[in-house]
């Protein structure tokens, strides 16, 4: 690679640090062209010096673009193809927020594995996933791409996703390199408005909001994408502290760093860089390797390196990183790696992949309400089906570019084909399939009103006159406030957007072929004014119940409680948490103690339960959250089965960052909680000895 580098001109080197859409190489591929991409202003020669491509539609397109490029590139350096493969390629899996509710590490890993295998048949090499942005913001449309509000769950699932994509080597056909995003803290956009300001302390960032990214880094993710937002007043794209100190030095990330779409030039609109030249200089100096869909490096930095104002070694180092990455991907040996129509047609949407998509969809459905055990229905029970999603094929959710709705069934068709539908007069139950449409969440889909849709509510109220039980199926890419509708329903299934097999999974869950097991990965507020509301909040000096009468932390027009807590989700089984015990009630130094919970399935229905372990550290150097998830187990119970489930407890779970950013652990009491959701737990106290002074 070093020899190759020697033969390259400065302009050619800079080209490797630029990513543009496929349209520029083959003019017919216009689809990807929008916004600032139109005004890139690169000459034909420069186009054939660029290093990577954003988005590609098929194996044929990839082969054509790569071939054309190689014919025109002096050094025959292959392009690397990157794309947003977020929850599946053509077989679409549940949105990440839904998958998080499965609390199933293996399942999430396998989703990434299948996505990689499918996408690689179109010659894609890198995916812009996972999204490690932790979010407590249901107004933010991109919460659907996140694994929810919890740091631990985010760490684990980001880790699994990267392992799934990258497999044992990114050189292998069928694996993708993972570019986690958006570094950093993009999930905290103020007021839930996309791209808005983010402001948080570094200790809070490291303790909570960085955990998703850390999971991806620890799993060996090869790339990172910076976020659109500012961090401490400086856009992430050109934030030297964030990139050099936190990402590289503190977190040990050694991979490539790419901007988000036109992020370099947006440092101008952020009010820091005065023009393209400054934007390029600021971003380059901060450590940004590749710019996405802008060409300021190529156009503005050439002179800087030629004149020696910027040391050429700095450029060589960056370009070498890119070339080595291409080598690691095996592209110098085979620039068309993976791209094949034959393989595409064998692998994509295969019956095995679809079967797994159904499993993933089933494991992502959350049962929120089930009065009088209305669900599951028996085969004899007939449905009257209503609501705007009853006949909808697009239940894929946002960020599923290659997933065609033509692959999807509607719930109406499935129920109808099984002779399960009838008139409202004759039916046993009314099923109302409402909620959001697929395009109501995703990027730039922020909302101020996330109450359950009013016209749907009125239709449900109207249906009450038939005096039949009402089951609401709620699709959404975010927590919806269900306070207005829950009093009119008997049962609620939260079905998010479940992908290609959405309708099948909903049918199977209605009729008990699937016993719902997912839990909420994010809090569902009771009122909009409670936002941000999350389970792992700090205690406050005046919690409710303290001695100040009404001068406590509460609302005069609402309770503090959410409608549904983090970790909540019912089942057709009935799990009872009987007792909690510990092998020793003092932990010294590096010792490990075993916490054991006794759980019984008090029902005649087998199913999964997700046992959740939380901790609370009541006295520390800084105020600590009232509960923090530290571990979980997804356990299968046969009917009426009782099981002992064990958790290993050690000091790693008690560590935290203090105000001076020291990662520490204290002597003293810790309260351990185990239960079926964050607000329904058994408790056990222990003492830790051997902490930092
Ligand atoms: C999004 C990224 C995405 C990129 C490329 C941006 O608008 O913020 O998440 O990876 O586009 O499609």
């Amino acid at each position: 690679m070093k020899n190759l580098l020697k033969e390259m001109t400065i302009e050619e080197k800079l080209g490797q640090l630029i990513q543009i859409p496929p349209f520029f190489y083959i003019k017919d591929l216009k689809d990807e062209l929008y916004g600032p991409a139109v005004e890139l202003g690169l000459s034909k020669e420069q186009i054939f010096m660029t290093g990577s491509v954003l988005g590609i539609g098929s194996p044929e397109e990839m082969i054509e673009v790569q071939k054309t490029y190689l014919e025109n590139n002096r050094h025959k350096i292959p392009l690397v193809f990157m794309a947003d493969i977020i929850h599946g390629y053509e077989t679409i899996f549940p949105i990440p927020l839904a998958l998080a509710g499965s609390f199933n590490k293996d399942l999430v890993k396998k989703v990434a594995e299948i996505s990689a295998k499918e996408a690689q048949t179109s010659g894609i090499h890198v995916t812009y996933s996972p999204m490690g942005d932790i979010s407590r913001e249901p107004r933010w449309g991109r919460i659907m791409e996140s694994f929810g509000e919890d740091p631990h769950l985010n760490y684990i699932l980001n880790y699994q996703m990267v392992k799934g994509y990258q497999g044992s080597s990114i050189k292998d056909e069928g694996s993708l390199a993972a570019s986690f995003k958006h570094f950093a803290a993009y999930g905290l956009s103020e007021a839930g408005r996309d791209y808005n300001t983010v402001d948080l302390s570094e200790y809070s960032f490291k303790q909570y909001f960085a955990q998703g990214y850390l999971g991806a880094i620890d799993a060996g993710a090869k790339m990172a994408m910076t976020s659109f937002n500012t961090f401490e007043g400086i856009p992430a794209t050109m934030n030297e502290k964030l990139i050099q100190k936190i990402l590289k030095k503190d977190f040990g990330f050694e991979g490539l760093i790419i901007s988000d779409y036109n992020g370099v030039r947006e440092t101008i609109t952020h009010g820091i860089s005065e023009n393209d030249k400054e934007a390029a200089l600021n971003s380059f100096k901060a450590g940004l390797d590749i710019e996405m869909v802008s060409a300021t490096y190529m156009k503005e930095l050439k002179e800087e390196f030629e004149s020696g104002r910027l040391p050429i070694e700095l450029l060589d180092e960056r370009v070498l990183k890119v070339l080595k990455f291409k080598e690691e991907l095996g592209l110098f040996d085979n620039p068309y790696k993976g791209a094949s129509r034959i393989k595409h047609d064998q692998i994509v949407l295969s019956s095995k992949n679809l079967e797994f998509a159904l499993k993933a969809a089933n494991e992502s459905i959350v049962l929120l309400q089930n009065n009088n055990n209305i669900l599951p229905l028996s085969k004899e029970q007939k449905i009257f089906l209503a609501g705007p999603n009853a006949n909808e094929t697009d239940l894929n959710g946002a960020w599923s570019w290659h997933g065609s709705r033509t692959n999807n069934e509607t719930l109406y068709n499935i129920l109808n084909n099984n002779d399960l539908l009838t008139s409202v007069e004759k039916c046993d139950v009314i099923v109302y399939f409402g909620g959001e449409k697929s395009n109501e969440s995703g990027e730039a889909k922020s909302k101020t009103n996330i109450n359950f849709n009013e016209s749907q509510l009125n239709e449900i109220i109207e249906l009450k006159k038939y005096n039949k039980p009402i089951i609401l199926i709620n699709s959404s890419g975010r927590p919806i406030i269900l306070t207005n509708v829950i009093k009119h329903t008997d049962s609620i299934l939260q079905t998010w957007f479940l992908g290609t097999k959405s309708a099948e999974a909903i049918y199977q869950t209605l009729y008990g072929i699937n016993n719902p097991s997912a839990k909420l990965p994010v809090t569902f507020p009771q009122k909009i004014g409670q936002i941000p509301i999350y389970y792992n909040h700090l205690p406050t000096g005046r919690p409710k119940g303290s001695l100040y009468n009404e001068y406590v932390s509460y609302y005069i027009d609402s309770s503090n409680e959410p409608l549904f807590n983090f970790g909540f989700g019912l089942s057709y089984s009935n799990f009872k948490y009987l007792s909690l015990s510990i092998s020793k009630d003092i932990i010294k130094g590096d010792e490990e103690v075993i916490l054991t919970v006794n759980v019984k399935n008090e029902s005649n229905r087998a199913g999964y339960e997700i046992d959740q372990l939380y901790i609370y550290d009541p006295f520390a150097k800084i105020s600590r959250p009232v509960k923090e998830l530290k571990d979980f187990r997804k356990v299968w119970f046969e009917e009426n089965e009782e099981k002992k489930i064990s958790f290993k407890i050690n000091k790693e779970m008690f560590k935290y960052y203090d105000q001076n950013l020291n990662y520490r652990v204290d002597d003293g009491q810790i309260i351990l909680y185990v239960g079926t959701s964050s607000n329904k737990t058994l408790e056990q106290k222990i003492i830790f000895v051997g902490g930092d002074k």
Side-chain angles (χ1 to χ4, degrees):
M1 283 307 121
K2 287 204 172 124
N3 289 339
L4 175 57
L5 198 65
K6 274 190 207 137
E7 288 168 19
M8 293 168 75
T9 64
I10 288 178
E11 196 171 31
E12 284 170 333
K13 289 177 184 172
L14 288 165
Q16 288 300 315
L17 308 183
I18 284 167
Q19 170 162 122
I20 58 177
F23 160 80
F24 288 97
Y25 313 96
I26 310 281
K27 297 288 177 198
D28 299 339
L29 308 180
K30 307 194 198 17
D31 288 359
E32 296 286 337
L33 207 60
Y34 71 96
V38 184
E39 43 181 73
L40 266 181
L42 292 175
S43 68
K44 187 174 173 223
E45 287 67 37
Q46 287 172 325
I47 295 286
F48 290 103
M49 293 177 192
T50 55
S52 58
V53 181
L54 169 65
I56 198 76
S58 66
E60 290 78 14
E61 279 183 7
M62 186 278 183
I63 291 166
E64 194 185 351
V65 169
Q66 188 74 295
K67 188 163 169 286
T68 311
Y69 181 87
L70 289 173
E71 280 164 9
N72 288 276
N73 179 275
R74 205 161 67 94
H75 305 287
K76 312 274 173 258
I77 303 172
L79 286 166
V80 45
F81 289 73
M82 312 196 188
D84 294 282
I85 312 301
I86 308 297
H87 52 114
Y89 182 62
E90 289 187 44
T91 301
I92 301 299
F93 298 98
I95 57 172
L97 189 61
L99 282 174
S102 76
F103 282 70
N104 186 337
K105 303 172 199 180
D106 298 337
L107 182 123
V108 168
K109 183 174 172 203
K110 181 99 192 228
V111 162
E113 230 172 80
I114 296 176
S115 306
K117 286 209 172 72
E118 288 201 0
Q120 241 278 277
T121 66
S122 282
I124 293 163
H125 311 120
V126 178
T127 175
Y128 292 132
S129 172
M131 186 179 96
D133 307 326
I134 289 175
S135 187
R136 303 164 166 174
E137 206 13 291
R139 292 171 294 183
W140 189 50
R142 299 194 81 166
I143 197 169
M144 52 88 38
E145 284 173 71
S146 83
F147 290 124
E149 76 188 31
D150 180 67
H152 178 71
L153 188 59
N154 265 274
Y155 179 93
I156 300 279
L157 298 186
N158 275 277
Y159 182 96
Q160 295 297 333
M161 209 78 187
V162 171
K163 288 286 182 198
Y165 287 133
Q166 296 193 164
S168 45
S169 160
I170 58 164
K171 197 171 218 132
D172 294 344
E173 200 176 304
S175 65
L176 294 176
S179 176
F180 72 89
K181 64 189 184 186
H182 307 84
F183 198 80
Y186 179 41
L188 286 181
S189 301
E190 277 181 3
R193 183 156 50 78
D194 211 355
Y195 319 121
N196 203 6
T197 308
V198 170
D199 199 5
L200 87 159
S201 63
E202 193 177 335
Y203 105 78
S204 214
F205 175 58
K206 288 190 165 160
Q207 184 73 37
Y208 310 112
F209 296 98
Q211 293 303 317
Y213 316 127
L214 282 167
I217 294 170
D218 288 353
K222 298 288 175 188
M223 270 182 77
M225 186 193 293
T226 54
S227 55
F228 286 126
N229 56 277
T230 52
F231 186 90
E232 297 180 341
I234 299 173
T237 317
M238 52 160 287
N239 193 319
E240 197 173 334
K241 174 175 165 191
L242 195 59
I243 296 177
Q244 301 289 6
K245 167 140 192 324
I246 301 183
L247 180 58
K248 293 193 183 178
K249 189 161 161 283
D250 299 350
F251 294 171
F253 181 68
E254 289 175 351
L256 283 167
I257 301 166
I258 189 168
S259 77
D260 202 343
Y261 200 102
N262 202 38
V264 170
R265 297 190 69 219
E266 284 177 20
T267 64
I268 303 173
T269 32
H270 272 292
I272 301 198
S273 310
E274 277 193 34
N275 48 40
D276 277 10
K277 177 152 214 146
E278 267 192 31
L281 276 171
N282 287 338
S283 307
F284 190 87
K285 285 182 182 163
L288 186 88
D289 296 315
I290 303 177
E291 55 177 326
M292 188 196 290
V293 194
S294 58
T296 64
Y297 280 12
M298 202 166 189
K299 290 197 282 187
E300 308 292 344
L301 297 185
K302 192 173 160 213
E303 235 189 1
E304 300 296 307
F305 287 108
E306 275 171 358
S307 66
R309 283 194 293 277
L310 279 178
I312 194 76
E313 294 73 30
L314 213 57
L315 177 61
D316 285 354
E317 201 184 289
R318 301 280 173 87
V319 178
L320 204 57
K321 248 168 101 177
V322 174
L323 296 176
K324 282 190 171 157
F325 181 56
K326 292 183 175 183
E327 191 179 40
E328 203 186 340
L329 282 162
L331 298 182
F332 284 99
D333 300 333
N334 178 7
Y336 305 97
K337 191 180 87 171
S340 151
R341 172 55 55 186
I342 296 174
K343 285 186 190 147
H344 173 278
D345 293 352
Q346 279 167 359
I347 292 176
V348 163
L349 292 164
S350 69
S351 51
K352 256 171 67 189
N353 293 359
L354 290 172
E355 201 181 298
F356 198 76
L358 177 57
K359 176 179 162 63
N362 272 330
E363 287 201 37
S364 302
I365 294 177
V366 190
L367 178 63
L368 292 177
Q369 180 195 34
N370 200 16
N371 296 344
N372 305 316
N373 293 332
I374 287 296
L375 287 175
L377 304 175
S378 67
K379 275 197 214 105
E380 295 70 43
Q381 284 177 296
K382 298 260 151 103
I383 290 176
F384 174 72
L385 183 64
N389 286 329
N391 250 314
E392 180 60 83
T393 47
D394 187 4
L395 300 167
N396 285 342
W399 293 105
S400 48
W401 305 117
H402 296 276
S404 167
R405 53 158 64 196
T406 57
N407 299 321
N408 302 6
E409 264 302 354
T410 65
L411 184 61
Y412 177 87
N413 278 344
I414 293 180
L415 295 175
N416 199 31
N417 294 341
N418 285 289
D419 286 340
L420 293 163
L421 294 180
T422 185
S423 66
V424 69
E425 290 80 12
K426 289 197 201 138
C427 75
D428 299 289
V429 294
I430 294 171
V431 171
Y432 190 92
F433 191 1
E436 292 187 316
K437 291 284 180 191
S438 197
N439 62 5
E440 283 181 70
S441 55
E443 187 172 351
K445 297 284 162 55
S446 300
K447 280 184 175 178
T448 59
N449 182 358
I450 56 162
N451 285 322
F452 185 74
N453 180 292
E454 207 160 314
S455 65
Q456 294 181 25
L457 173 67
N458 291 335
E459 281 178 22
I460 289 175
I461 293 172
E462 190 60 24
L463 286 166
K464 281 183 78 176
K465 69 173 181 232
Y466 296 99
N467 262 326
K468 308 279 171 86
I470 297 184
I471 298 161
L472 169 65
I473 300 168
N474 189 55
S475 274
S476 65
R478 50 160 60 82
I480 293 292
I481 299 179
L482 298 166
T483 312
N484 57 3
V485 71
I486 192 166
K487 46 185 175 283
H488 304 297
T489 56
D490 296 280
S491 201
I492 302 179
L493 288 171
Q494 171 64 29
T495 59
W496 313 105
F497 289 101
L498 297 171
T500 313
K501 287 290 170 187
S502 289
E504 284 85 344
I506 293 169
Y507 153 70
Q508 294 200 349
T509 307
L510 286 172
Y511 280 92
I513 302 161
N514 173 50
N515 183 356
S517 58
K519 307 277 186 174
L520 292 178
V522 62
T523 303
F524 273 44
Q526 194 183 131
K527 300 262 172 71
I528 287 177
Q530 295 176 317
I531 297 169
I533 179 168
Y534 47 94
Y535 86 97
N536 50 347
H537 58 83
L538 303 185
T540 90
R542 294 183 174 193
K544 268 189 82 184
S546 54
L547 296 174
Y548 297 89
N549 300 325
E550 78 264 38
Y551 293 97
V552 293
S553 183
Y554 82 130
Y555 298 102
I556 58 172
D557 64 346
S558 162
S559 93
N560 289 0
E561 296 309 310
L563 189 63
F564 297 113
N565 288 75
F566 173 86
F568 174 77
L570 302 168
S571 159
Y572 298 154
S573 311
N574 181 18
F575 297 108
K576 281 267 151 57
Y577 283 68
L578 303 172
S579 61
L580 194 58
S581 61
I582 194 143
S583 58
K584 252 176 93 180
D585 50 17
I586 296 185
I587 304 189
K588 290 186 189 142
D590 296 327
E591 276 178 8
E592 207 159 63
V593 304
I594 306 294
L595 181 71
T596 306
V597 64
N598 243 7
V599 182
K600 182 159 191 217
N601 174 10
E602 292 190 345
S603 76
N604 295 326
R605 203 172 271 278
Y608 279 114
E609 164 67 339
I610 296 161
D611 306 293
Q612 302 157 42
L613 166 73
Y614 297 88
I615 69 158
Y616 176 45
D617 180 353
F619 300 103
K621 300 287 176 215
I622 54 166
S623 187
R624 305 285 295 118
V626 296
K627 260 181 194 164
E628 283 185 289
L629 185 75
K630 288 292 167 182
D631 203 354
F632 54 85
R633 298 263 184 291
K634 185 163 184 170
V635 182
W636 179 259
F637 286 81
E638 294 299 335
E639 51 186 78
N640 294 302
E641 190 181 7
E642 187 176 327
K643 276 189 172 169
K644 285 189 196 310
I645 294 135
S646 295
F647 295 95
K648 289 181 185 156
I649 311 293
N650 58 49
K651 75 171 184 196
E652 288 308 308
M653 292 179 172
F654 314 148
K655 286 188 174 169
Y656 65 92
Y657 285 94
D658 66 16
Q659 197 183 17
N660 299 319
L661 302 173
N662 297 314
Y663 197 48
R664 57 173 294 124
V665 55
D666 303 330
D667 281 358
Q669 192 179 71
I670 299 281
I671 306 173
L672 306 169
Y673 303 94
V674 179
T676 186
S677 93
S678 62
N679 68 332
K680 239 182 134 195
T681 48
L682 300 175
E683 121 178 23
Q684 169 75 49
K685 296 192 172 81
I686 54 158
I687 305 285
F688 176 71
V689 186
D692 300 313
K693 293 295 163 230

